[in-house]
Amino acid sequence: MKFLIIIPAHNEENNLSFTLDSLQQQSFKDFKVVIVNDGSTDGTSEVIKKYTDNDSRFETVNLQKSAHQPGSKVVNAFKNGLNTQNIDEFEIICKFDADIILSENYLEKVENSFKNNPKYGLIGGLLYVEKDGDWVYEGNSNKHHVRGPMKAYRKESFIQMGGIRETLGWDNIDSILLENLGWKEIVLPELHVKLIKVKGADYTIKPADYYGRYFYFLGLNRFLAYVASSKEAMKSKSVSFFFNIIKAYENCCSNKLELKISKHEQKIINDQRWNMLKKKWLKM
């Protein structure tokens, strides 16, 4: 099975070479990498050139800088890269970040899993970050969800769900839609992916605004958005945090910001969230 790997990159001169080196060192060799240079103003283009000049599997796409909005920017870059390729030539489509390091057997393990399990639609490893000189598990509570920096989709599942959405929350929307279509999302815990920098560190959006917008663009109805907001507020032990999240959510509602999911998909997401709520909180 051949991989198409698309890597959005904006000002990643200090990180990108680690990612591309780890791809060149893969035990599985049948892949193509498209690095989408999204308006970088540092030395990212020079880093990319070192690989495209010496390895025919590496290509680049250059974009003007897009608005730095969580979620939409990276998916916009990904889609621009995808549109330059004939996906009929590939069986696996990957969206990787420009600041991860993959183990040498990463693609081999992912390919074997797809090949041996026809209902697997999305596969990834677990994220690790550096702390006090050691690489430790990033700590996300859900070890069964493939995180945004390392998505590998079976082409059929990717096409069936209509690709990934250019919106905040895209990396949760995809898993919900795939599950609804009968595909399985699989995390291979033995595959450790090193994340060089902390996600979200370069976002200027405040946490409460982020969560409010996230719940809105995920398509949550008001009741589920308020429940989700209360859970985040309890984590922070802050009543004001709850009201600030709600304020951001309601502002999105008042302005009728465009959702990138259909009414049917919105219902799927709300049904899934409601089922989770009944299972975890109401023990139904």
Side-chain angles (χ1 to χ4, degrees):
M1 302 176 76
K2 186 173 183 178
F3 286 72
L4 171 60
I5 300 168
I6 299 175
I7 302 176
H10 173 71
N11 288 348
E12 294 284 2
E13 67 170 329
N14 295 324
N15 304 316
L16 182 58
S17 61
F18 293 102
T19 303
L20 301 185
D21 282 346
S22 74
L23 285 169
Q24 283 191 321
Q25 294 162 8
Q26 290 296 303
S27 55
F28 186 87
K29 306 294 185 183
D30 195 8
F31 62 82
K32 184 175 187 179
V33 179
V34 179
I35 308 111
V36 184
N37 185 7
D38 190 8
S40 297
T41 55
D42 63 356
T44 296
S45 59
E46 286 74 21
V47 173
I48 295 171
K49 193 173 186 298
K50 293 177 182 177
Y51 296 85
T52 56
D53 283 353
N54 297 293
D55 193 329
S56 61
R57 297 173 299 175
F58 290 76
E59 294 183 4
T60 188
V61 174
N62 292 298
L63 303 179
Q64 298 295 318
K65 182 181 179 181
S66 53
H68 197 169
Q69 295 294 328
S72 61
K73 174 185 172 65
V74 70
V75 177
N76 176 68
F78 169 86
K79 286 186 172 182
N80 274 277
L82 184 66
N83 290 339
T84 66
Q85 304 300 309
N86 178 9
I87 64 172
D88 291 338
E89 299 175 2
F90 306 92
E91 286 78 43
I92 301 170
I93 298 173
C94 298
K95 179 267 170 197
F96 287 166
D97 277 7
D99 56 357
I100 59 174
I101 302 173
L102 305 169
S103 55
E104 290 185 6
N105 64 342
Y106 193 88
L107 298 184
E108 179 182 353
K109 289 285 188 179
V110 169
E111 195 261 354
N112 284 336
S113 293
F114 275 127
K115 190 164 56 177
N116 296 328
N117 301 277
K119 294 309 295 180
Y120 286 8
L122 171 60
I123 297 177
L126 288 177
L127 282 180
Y128 282 71
V129 295
E130 192 172 13
K131 184 177 181 180
D132 299 326
D134 294 319
W135 290 94
V136 298
Y137 176 57
E138 188 215 20
N140 183 273
S141 60
N142 188 352
K143 288 189 175 183
H144 304 289
H145 174 57
V146 179
R147 305 295 301 283
M150 48 181 185
K151 300 272 193 177
Y153 303 92
R154 186 186 298 272
K155 180 179 65 179
E156 289 81 5
S157 71
F158 184 86
I159 292 173
Q160 196 174 351
M161 74 170 177
I164 57 178
R165 304 304 193 269
E166 198 172 324
T167 184
L168 189 64
W170 69 270
D171 55 340
N172 280 303
I173 291 171
D174 62 346
S175 61
I176 297 171
L177 297 181
L178 286 173
E179 180 184 359
N180 182 70
L181 291 166
W183 296 101
K184 292 183 178 180
E185 175 186 18
I186 300 296
V187 171
L188 302 177
E190 71 273 19
L191 293 181
H192 296 184
V193 178
K194 295 177 179 178
L195 182 63
I196 301 172
K197 68 178 182 182
V198 177
K199 295 291 98 177
D202 50 357
Y203 293 156
T204 57
I205 186 170
K206 295 179 180 178
D209 291 337
Y210 174 91
Y211 283 114
R213 291 172 62 84
Y214 171 75
F215 297 146
Y216 175 83
F217 286 110
L218 194 59
L220 297 187
N221 62 38
R222 184 168 276 105
F223 173 75
L224 290 174
Y226 279 42
V227 170
S229 300
S230 66
K231 290 172 65 178
E232 294 303 327
M234 283 189 288
K235 291 178 187 177
S236 300
K237 299 180 180 179
S238 170
V239 175
S240 62
F241 193 50
F242 168 79
F243 287 108
N244 287 333
I245 296 174
I246 294 305
K247 180 180 178 182
Y249 173 85
E250 293 294 349
N251 283 340
C252 292
C253 294
S254 298
N255 292 320
K256 297 180 179 179
L257 299 183
E258 180 187 4
L259 295 178
K260 298 296 184 179
I261 53 177
S262 68
K263 289 288 186 182
H264 176 64
E265 291 168 341
Q266 192 173 354
K267 183 179 184 303
I268 291 170
I269 292 167
N270 278 278
D271 286 348
Q272 189 258 12
R273 282 287 179 129
W274 176 240
N275 288 334
M276 287 175 57
L277 180 66
K278 289 193 292 185
K279 183 178 179 180
K280 292 183 178 180
W281 286 25
L282 306 180
K283 305 297 182 183
M284 296 171 60

